[in-house]
Amino acid sequence: MDPSQYQSNELAQFIAQEKERAMVNEMVGKLTNVCWDKCITGTPGSKFSSSESSCLSNCARRYMDMSVIIMKRFQNMQ
Amino acid sequence: MDAFSSSPSSGSPSQQFSADDFKDQLKTQLAQAYAEEFLETLRGKCFEKCITKPGSSLSGGESSCISRCVERYIEATGIISKSLFSAPH
């Protein structure tokens, strides 16, 4: 492999990693946005109540579960 | 000098834009874009929660609500992150 090929592979890999990182950040950001609205109903306190923190973690997981169901249903309709 | 160059525009061979320069610039710009988007979300959420009836100035209550809101929202981001990337029940 000549040096310029190595460099362009290395850069392609770097870009793919950064892209994945950005997609993960986007997912976390979107979920936090949605779950905050669902779970933090009153004025923000100096800490989360245990029901608020479990609501937040449940929310993220149930959203992902829902995502799987939607994909399956959608693929069944193709 | 444009956003992607780190050398003066005379561009002599000894001052070429290297792969490392590119990687640093990309990481920096991605981090900046992320921070700006996060701040915009914080502004929206905390305005909604804390400033229900805009007055002629921010009250002490509104200011402390805003501080708590920022802390809580950052904490919420951590909780969501952890619940997605740790072992499911």
Side-chain angles (χ1 to χ4, degrees), chain B residues 44-78:
Chain B
K45 294 306 188 196
C46 298
F47 192 79
E48 189 188 312
K49 285 282 184 209
C50 296
I51 307 197
T52 41
K53 266 190 145 46
S56 50
S57 64
L58 281 182
S59 71
E62 285 168 330
S63 301
S64 31
C65 178
I66 291 166
S67 297
R68 296 191 310 263
C69 173
V70 171
E71 280 173 16
R72 298 288 75 69
Y73 197 86
I74 291 171
E75 193 181 342
T77 302

Side-chain angles (χ1 to χ4, degrees), chain A residues 38-68:
Chain A
K38 277 229 186 277
C39 297
I40 313 303
T41 45
T43 312
S46 17
K47 60 187 177 99
F48 284 136
S49 70
S50 62
S51 73
E52 283 171 325
S53 27
S54 30
C55 180
L56 286 170
S57 52
N58 288 339
C59 174
R61 293 189 169 141
R62 299 299 74 76
Y63 188 99
M64 298 310 277
D65 290 344
M66 174 197 72
S67 214
V68 169

Side-chain angles (χ1 to χ4, degrees), chain B residues 6-83:
Chain B
S6 60
S7 58
S9 41
S10 56
S12 58
S14 60
Q15 293 172 320
Q16 255 168 18
F17 186 63
S18 71
D20 281 345
D21 290 334
F22 170 79
K23 291 196 275 187
D24 287 344
Q25 294 254 6
L26 182 59
K27 282 181 111 107
T28 300
Q29 295 197 7
L30 284 171
Q32 277 172 354
Y34 175 81
E36 279 170 25
E37 187 173 353
F38 190 76
L39 283 171
E40 182 55 38
T41 305
L42 272 178
R43 286 192 286 263
K45 294 306 188 196
C46 298
F47 192 79
E48 189 188 312
K49 285 282 184 209
C50 296
I51 307 197
T52 41
K53 266 190 145 46
S56 50
S57 64
L58 281 182
S59 71
E62 285 168 330
S63 301
S64 31
C65 178
I66 291 166
S67 297
R68 296 191 310 263
C69 173
V70 171
E71 280 173 16
R72 298 288 75 69
Y73 197 86
I74 291 171
E75 193 181 342
T77 302
I79 292 173
I80 302 281
S81 224
K82 250 188 252 174
S83 71

